[in-house]
Amino acid sequence: MTQTQCAGACAAGDDLRVIVDSHARRLDGLEDDVDTLKSGQSAMMERLISIEAQGQERERNRAAQAQDVRNALTRLTQQLAEHTGAQKRQNQLAEDSLRRWRKLAVVAGLLCTVGAAVGSTLLSDQEVASTIWVQWLHLREPWDMPQQGVPHAGP
């Protein structure tokens, strides 16, 4: 090879080396970009997994709170039912007691009425009245007692 041929071939080889070096640098840059994207993607995946886990934890907490509220409402409903039942029972007992007192009052009223009727009938008879006042109570008859302060108008 002559010098000029060698110079032309060397110049072309140098150009190829430059082109290859340029492509090598670009490939290295692309590899770095791919590595950066992969690390960013894995960071995003980790973040996504973290967010999903937090969401599941929140959902579990909400479910537990909802269950607590349901349990509290159930207990409150039971307490209200017991309270209402107790009040109903107290009202029934009070009504029963009132009915008994009413019956007793009616019986006592009837006895007093019958007693008053019998007493007034018996006491209106002068013989019975005299027997009660004089023989049983050993007192003077009230109608024979002199009235005080009223002078007798005599004939």
Side-chain angles (χ1 to χ4, degrees):
M1 267 195 160
T2 62
Q3 185 88 357
T4 53
Q5 288 178 344
C6 183
C10 284
D14 283 340
D15 284 342
L16 286 176
R17 281 192 192 132
V18 170
I19 292 172
V20 169
D21 286 341
S22 169
H23 286 304
R25 278 192 303 273
R26 287 181 64 204
L27 281 175
D28 288 341
L30 288 174
E31 286 176 354
D32 289 343
D33 289 346
V34 168
D35 289 342
T36 303
L37 287 174
K38 283 183 181 178
S39 66
Q41 183 183 14
S42 36
M44 286 179 71
M45 286 301 288
E46 289 173 7
R47 178 78 176 137
L48 205 79
I49 291 169
S50 170
I51 289 171
E52 181 67 23
Q54 289 173 356
Q56 289 174 353
E57 182 65 26
R58 267 191 242 108
E59 187 60 34
R60 279 192 294 271
N61 288 341
R62 280 191 199 118
Q65 288 173 346
Q67 186 62 39
D68 290 345
V69 168
R70 281 192 291 278
N71 291 341
L73 284 174
T74 302
R75 285 192 304 272
L76 181 62
T77 304
Q78 288 172 345
Q79 289 174 355
L80 284 174
E82 289 172 2
H83 183 69
T84 303
Q87 280 183 337
K88 205 180 269 188
R89 181 68 181 146
Q90 285 177 344
N91 289 344
Q92 287 175 344
L93 291 174
E95 286 177 18
D96 291 345
S97 176
L98 183 61
R99 266 191 231 108
R100 275 187 241 118
W101 279 107
R102 283 180 182 164
K103 287 177 185 176
L104 185 62
V106 167
V107 169
L110 287 173
L111 288 176
C112 289
T113 303
V114 169
V118 169
S120 66
T121 303
L122 289 177
L123 290 177
S124 69
D125 186 16
Q126 204 151 10
E127 272 185 40
V128 174
S130 294
T131 302
I132 292 172
W133 285 103
V134 176
Q135 290 181 4
W136 291 347
L137 297 176
H138 305 291
L139 298 171
R140 291 179 52 191
E141 292 174 340
W143 49 88
D144 286 341
M145 293 178 137
Q147 294 183 5
Q148 298 174 353
V150 177
H152 285 315

